[in-house]
């Protein structure tokens, strides 16, 4: 068993924030488990990741945003030089609401997957019938 105390440079490296981090927000009724694989892959690529859960259906929006803000700024990932954000579905809406109130100066890219704010393009009956001929 190695009980050697870490050298100063080892401890210093541990305390340094990552230069790039990613904040992940799950969708409606979800849980951090839904974004765990993405979080693991991002960590493997060298990012510090905050995979943050939130009560997506029990609380009013302002309370959820306050909750997210407290969790995000308490996360070591927030200390990175550049913070990127990814929200899935309702997590994208929560991300947009959080950024509207608390946009960090060190924000990098932000992405919303399966976002409900994008209008779905539905085929009309005449188009569907014409394509089936």
């Amino acid at each position: 068993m190695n009980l050697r105390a870490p050298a100063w440079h080892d401890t210093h490296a541990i305390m340094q924030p990552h230069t790039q981090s990613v904040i992940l927000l799950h969708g409606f009724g979800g849980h951090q488990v839904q974004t765990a694989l993405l979080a693991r892959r991002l960590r493997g690529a060298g990012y510090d990741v905050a995979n943050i859960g939130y009560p997506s259906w029990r609380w009013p929006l302002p309370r959820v945003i306050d909750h997210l803000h407290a969790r995000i700024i308490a996360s070591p990932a927030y200390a990175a030089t550049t913070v990127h954000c990814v929200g899935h579905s309702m997590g994208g809406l929560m991300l947009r609401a959080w950024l509207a109130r608390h946009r960090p100066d060190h924000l990098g890219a932000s992405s919303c997957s399966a976002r409900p704010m994008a209008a779905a393009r539905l085929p009309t009956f005449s188009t569907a019938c014409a394509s089936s001929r």
Side-chain angles (χ1 to χ4, degrees), residues 11-56:
T11 307
H12 183 68
I14 292 169
M15 294 186 315
Q16 290 295 319
H18 284 77
T19 59
Q20 303 280 318
S21 69
V22 180
I23 295 168
L24 298 176
L25 300 179
H26 62 75
F28 179 76
H31 190 270
Q32 298 98 307
V33 171
Q34 293 174 319
T35 47
L37 179 59
L38 178 57
R40 185 174 20 176
R41 290 185 176 169
L42 287 166
R43 285 184 188 106
Y47 292 92
D48 193 5
V49 178
N51 189 7
I52 297 177
Y54 61 96
S56 59

Side-chain angles (χ1 to χ4, degrees), residues 54-94:
Y54 61 96
S56 59
W57 58 275
R58 294 187 309 242
W59 292 352
L61 181 61
R63 185 173 176 193
V64 173
I65 300 306
D66 290 342
H67 170 80
L68 285 175
H69 182 62
R71 297 277 315 275
I72 289 169
I73 64 171
S75 167
Y78 192 74
T81 306
T82 305
V83 176
H84 307 286
C85 301
V86 176
H88 173 72
S89 191
M90 184 174 171
L93 295 175
M94 297 297 101

